[in-house]
């Protein structure tokens, strides 16, 4: 008797798991499945059941496991899975982000998109094709970036140092090791995704300070036994992002800009909303922003042409003019 009970239990578990997977993969609010169809499918895979057993299974999935199985009763029972772990707009957003990302290679992107798509029904998958075709985007070459990220996260969690080599490109676009294969030692603190690039942020004892490395360019990574050096007392990831990525990487000074009205969104993107604005004529405005005057700032400014101009201080205007003249010098 015990053997039969064990076989029945095994059959019950298998049937329940198959039923759950089938409903998730083959039904949605536009594609319902009837009781006879479910019974036929179950029998075809070796899990014969009657109507009462099926109703009981649906009840267990709904009540005990909170699966949102909707039952329509207007033409006999028809079923479909309603709310899912990821709703369709969420999956579309994630898939488009993966397809657009430059640091994930084309092969890795396709694998990740396939995994995300598996969260939807087979009917919904065709609506989840990325709006941006992977082949149309500049993508990183195939790397072991997942493996690198996993190792870095482990090192951060264990508070252990890492060592690695770093790649760059020579004048013939060949990938080479930086500084002849120099091995970099680092106390990793954070991994940061910024402006479609993924960075390691950590402390370099050699440089006595915080440094950044592009994760997709890290190779031959190893976790060391040595404990990471403690974070500097004034280290805050938000402050560091502002300094390195938002043109605050030196002594701050106030710069006055004359801007066309359409440029307000560009200023808010980079400086937030905490800066002084004075309305000018012809739909323009003056803005006083605090920034480190550097090539990073001038490069940002250059892309807007005459739409954003430096009003003062005069010294900053002259620095910008000299940089432009040097770029055009024979």
């Amino acid at each position: 008797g015990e053997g039969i009970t064990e076989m029945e239990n095994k059959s019950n578990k298998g049937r329940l798991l198959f039923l759950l997977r089938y409903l998730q993969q083959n039904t949605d609010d536009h594609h319902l499945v009837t009781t006879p169809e479910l019974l036929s499918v179950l029998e075809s895979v070796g899990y014969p059941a009657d109507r009462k057993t099926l109703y009981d299974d649906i009840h267990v999935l709904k009540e005990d496991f909170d699966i949102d199985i909707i039952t329509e009763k207007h033409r006999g029972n028809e079923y479909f899975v309603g709310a899912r772990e990821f709703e369709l707009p969420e999956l579309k957003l994630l898939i488009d982000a993966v397809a657009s990302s430059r640091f994930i290679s084309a092969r890795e992107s396709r694998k990740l998109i396939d995994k995300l798509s598996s969260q939807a029904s087979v009917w919904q998958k065709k609506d989840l094709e990325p709006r941006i075709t992977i082949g149309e985007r500049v993508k990183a070459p195939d790397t072991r970036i997942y493996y690198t990220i996993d190792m870095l996260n482990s090192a951060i969690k264990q508070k252990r140092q890492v060592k690695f080599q770093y790649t760059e490109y020579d004048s013939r676009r060949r990938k080479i090791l930086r500084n002849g294969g120099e091995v970099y030692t680092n106390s990793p603190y954070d991994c940061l995704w910024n402006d479609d690039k993924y960075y390691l942020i950590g402390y370099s004892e050699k440089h006595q300070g915080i440094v950044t490395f592009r994760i997709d360019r890290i190779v031959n990574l190893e976790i060391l036994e040595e404990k990471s050096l403690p974070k500097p007392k004034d280290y805050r990831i938000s402050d560091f992002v502002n300094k390195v990525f938002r043109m605050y990487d030196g002594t701050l000074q106030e710069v006055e800009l004359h801007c066309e009205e359409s440029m307000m969104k560009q200023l808010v993107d980079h400086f937030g909303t905490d800066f002084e604005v004075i309305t000018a004529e012809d739909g323009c405005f003056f803005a006083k922003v605090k920034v480190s005057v550097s090539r990073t700032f001038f490069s940002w400014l250059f892309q807007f042409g005459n739409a954003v101009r430096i009003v003062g201080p005069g010294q900053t205007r002259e620095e910008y003019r000299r940089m432009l003249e040097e770029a055009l010098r024979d």
Side-chain angles (χ1 to χ4, degrees), residues 194-195 199 212 240-252 255 257 266 270-271 289-304 308 310 316 319-320 323-324:
N194 184 81
D195 195 22
Y199 296 90
T212 62
F240 184 80
V241 170
N242 282 337
K243 287 180 180 178
V244 175
F245 299 113
R246 295 195 179 275
M247 302 177 292
Y248 303 155
D249 53 340
T251 304
L252 298 184
V255 175
L257 304 172
Q266 307 291 348
H270 274 272
F271 302 105
V289 298
K290 287 188 176 179
V291 64
S292 170
V293 176
S294 63
R295 286 187 177 272
T296 305
F297 169 61
F298 291 146
S299 298
W300 173 83
L301 187 67
F302 178 75
Q303 65 184 308
F304 306 121
V308 181
I310 299 174
T316 305
E319 284 183 48
Y320 187 39
M323 190 191 79
L324 295 175

Side-chain angles (χ1 to χ4, degrees), residues 86 90-99 109-120 125 128:
F86 291 99
E90 295 171 331
L91 285 173
K92 283 185 176 180
L93 185 150
L94 291 171
I95 285 170
D96 282 344
V98 170
S109 293
R110 291 190 184 96
K111 284 172 63 177
L112 188 48
I113 287 170
D114 285 344
K115 289 181 180 179
L116 289 168
S117 297
S118 71
Q119 300 295 312
K125 281 184 180 179
L128 291 174

Side-chain angles (χ1 to χ4, degrees), residues 155-190:
I156 291 168
K157 184 178 179 181
Q158 298 170 33
K159 297 184 177 179
R160 288 165 61 185
Q161 295 186 36
V162 295
K163 70 175 184 179
F164 53 83
Q165 291 172 298
Y166 201 57
T167 60
E168 58 186 7
Y169 289 89
D170 65 11
S171 60
R172 297 169 69 179
R173 289 181 297 184
R174 294 177 303 187
K175 197 171 187 178
I176 60 172
L177 294 175
R178 178 189 278 185
N179 293 337
E182 178 182 347
V183 176
Y184 297 84
T185 303
N186 189 271
S187 295
Y189 295 154
D190 288 292

Side-chain angles (χ1 to χ4, degrees), residues 68-293:
D68 186 33
I69 300 173
I70 311 297
T71 306
E72 297 284 357
K73 297 185 177 181
H74 55 280
R75 291 179 296 169
N77 283 358
E78 291 183 312
Y79 309 97
F80 70 93
V81 174
R84 297 169 180 265
E85 190 73 25
F86 291 99
E87 297 299 330
L88 209 58
E90 295 171 331
L91 285 173
K92 283 185 176 180
L93 185 150
L94 291 171
I95 285 170
D96 282 344
V98 170
S100 300
S101 175
R102 296 181 63 168
F103 78 84
I104 308 176
S105 72
R107 182 172 59 87
E108 289 164 336
S109 293
R110 291 190 184 96
K111 284 172 63 177
L112 188 48
I113 287 170
D114 285 344
K115 289 181 180 179
L116 289 168
S117 297
S118 71
Q119 300 295 312
S121 75
V122 293
W123 312 102
Q124 294 169 328
K125 281 184 180 179
K126 58 178 175 288
D127 297 326
L128 291 174
E129 284 296 313
R131 297 180 183 90
I132 301 167
T133 306
I134 291 173
E136 295 174 351
R137 285 286 282 159
V138 176
K139 284 286 195 177
D142 279 340
T143 63
R144 303 178 71 190
I145 193 163
Y146 294 160
Y147 177 73
T148 304
I149 292 168
D150 186 50
M151 282 189 70
L152 288 172
N153 283 331
S154 294
I156 291 168
K157 184 178 179 181
Q158 298 170 33
K159 297 184 177 179
R160 288 165 61 185
Q161 295 186 36
V162 295
K163 70 175 184 179
F164 53 83
Q165 291 172 298
Y166 201 57
T167 60
E168 58 186 7
Y169 289 89
D170 65 11
S171 60
R172 297 169 69 179
R173 289 181 297 184
R174 294 177 303 187
K175 197 171 187 178
I176 60 172
L177 294 175
R178 178 189 278 185
N179 293 337
E182 178 182 347
V183 176
Y184 297 84
T185 303
N186 189 271
S187 295
Y189 295 154
D190 288 292
C191 293
L192 173 73
W193 191 346
N194 184 81
D195 195 22
D196 204 19
K197 298 178 181 67
Y198 215 177
Y199 296 90
L200 164 66
I201 301 174
Y203 188 86
S204 167
E205 195 167 9
K206 177 181 177 181
H207 295 96
Q208 293 291 298
I210 305 292
V211 293
T212 62
F213 291 93
R214 282 262 300 274
I215 292 177
D216 57 306
R217 291 168 58 186
I218 289 174
V219 294
N220 302 324
L221 174 68
E222 292 181 35
I223 300 177
L224 304 176
E225 292 298 323
E226 288 81 2
K227 286 292 183 181
S228 290
L229 298 172
K231 294 179 182 178
K233 290 182 180 179
D234 59 350
Y235 173 78
R236 290 177 58 209
I237 184 66
S238 57
D239 291 344
F240 184 80
V241 170
N242 282 337
K243 287 180 180 178
V244 175
F245 299 113
R246 295 195 179 275
M247 302 177 292
Y248 303 155
D249 53 340
T251 304
L252 298 184
Q253 68 180 77
E254 189 172 77
V255 175
E256 186 173 4
L257 304 172
H258 180 271
C259 313
E260 293 180 3
E261 187 175 12
S262 61
M263 291 294 103
M264 180 61 79
K265 59 182 179 292
Q266 307 291 348
L267 268 68
V268 170
D269 279 349
H270 274 272
F271 302 105
T273 56
D274 187 22
F275 58 88
E276 184 181 347
V277 176
I278 302 170
T279 303
E281 297 177 356
D282 300 327
C284 296
F285 64 92
F286 293 100
K288 293 183 177 179
V289 298
K290 287 188 176 179
V291 64
S292 170
V293 176

Side-chain angles (χ1 to χ4, degrees), residues 44-78:
S44 72
V45 293
Y47 295 121
D50 56 26
R51 287 174 179 266
K52 182 183 183 308
T53 302
L54 178 61
Y55 297 156
D56 289 343
D57 285 352
I58 297 289
H59 180 79
V60 167
L61 291 174
K62 289 175 66 173
E63 302 302 322
D64 294 356
F65 294 95
D66 293 325
I67 307 300
D68 186 33
I69 300 173
I70 311 297
T71 306
E72 297 284 357
K73 297 185 177 181
H74 55 280
R75 291 179 296 169
N77 283 358
E78 291 183 312

